[in-house]
Amino acid sequence: FVTIPFKYDEVYEGKNGLFHIRIGESWGLLSLDKGEIVPVKYLYGVSVDFKDQIVFDAMSGKCGILSENGTERIPAIYDHLQPKEDLIFFGYGGYDYDDYSSFFSNITGAIWGCLNSEGRIIVPPKYDCLEIRGDYVLAGRDGSMLFIDESTYARDYSGVYDLYSKSTFSGKKIIPVPIC
């Protein structure tokens, strides 16, 4: 009998009884008793410890995050994702600057927002940078990272911060805070 169907271009065994499977440029995971537990649709191989893994859709190039059962907990619709504590920063657009002094300074021209762990938007995507401060998310707009020299950016942001409540996940803007 056939345990693994003859439809895959590549199959190799991982750990925990899971198999990495590939069709064309797309990867997924297969269990002999459950079938495809992570669908064949991701650009890079999927780890057998896939819970909370950031994955990239092979067709769109967009990224999302997998759940413990192999489905997308956060759909693969974002250009950039950065888990931070119990929140997830997401971004659209921009380009990679190859300066990894901080997450926001290495991706130029993107707009950012913030999701809670269930994927609900709590900060809308319209900001240049985000920072968690206690029970709040500071969302910077109308400015830029302060430039120090050719290779570094300061941690400070020259713009206006909007303040969002993190602890209630209300997504409610508290007050705009001008930074001088």
Side-chain angles (χ1 to χ4, degrees):
F1 63 93
V2 176
T3 305
I4 299 175
F6 292 102
K7 68 178 190 176
Y8 302 108
D9 295 332
E10 185 175 353
V11 175
Y12 68 91
E13 191 170 4
K15 61 181 183 176
N16 302 332
L18 299 178
F19 292 83
H20 299 274
I21 50 178
R22 179 182 62 82
I23 298 175
E25 300 297 317
S26 301
W27 289 89
L29 283 175
L30 175 81
S31 167
L32 294 180
D33 57 339
K34 297 179 185 172
E36 287 184 16
I37 56 173
V38 175
V40 180
K41 67 175 270 187
Y42 299 108
L43 190 56
Y44 306 107
V46 177
S47 168
V48 294
D49 303 318
F50 52 82
K51 181 183 176 203
D52 297 330
Q53 180 180 349
I54 295 177
V55 290
F56 295 85
D57 183 276
M59 300 268 304
S60 68
K62 305 290 185 183
C63 53
I65 298 177
L66 294 178
S67 70
E68 64 277 347
N69 65 5
T71 61
E72 291 178 356
R73 179 170 55 90
I74 306 297
I77 59 173
Y78 302 103
D79 292 337
H80 316 286
L81 285 176
Q82 176 65 39
K84 189 78 169 173
E85 298 178 20
D86 55 346
L87 300 176
I88 302 159
F89 297 152
F90 68 93
Y92 296 110
Y95 61 93
D96 194 345
Y97 183 64
D98 290 332
D99 168 22
Y100 294 98
S101 57
S102 81
F103 182 72
F104 293 106
S105 66
N106 74 322
I107 300 174
T108 304
I111 58 167
W112 296 97
C114 187
L115 305 167
N116 67 12
S117 60
E118 291 83 41
R120 189 167 60 99
I121 294 176
I122 61 169
V123 176
K126 62 180 184 178
Y127 294 97
D128 299 322
C129 72
L130 300 169
E131 185 176 338
I132 297 172
R133 292 273 179 98
D135 288 336
Y136 301 97
V137 176
L138 293 174
R141 61 182 168 83
D142 303 329
S144 62
M145 300 304 281
L146 294 176
F147 186 70
I148 292 181
D149 61 36
E150 281 88 28
S151 64
T152 352
Y153 283 90
R155 192 164 184 265
D156 296 324
Y157 179 78
S158 68
V160 176
Y161 280 105
D162 292 335
L163 185 63
Y164 288 83
S165 172
K166 173 188 155 197
S167 60
T168 63
F169 295 108
S170 66
K172 183 177 180 184
K173 183 166 59 169
I174 310 294
I175 50 172
V177 180
I179 304 297
C180 300

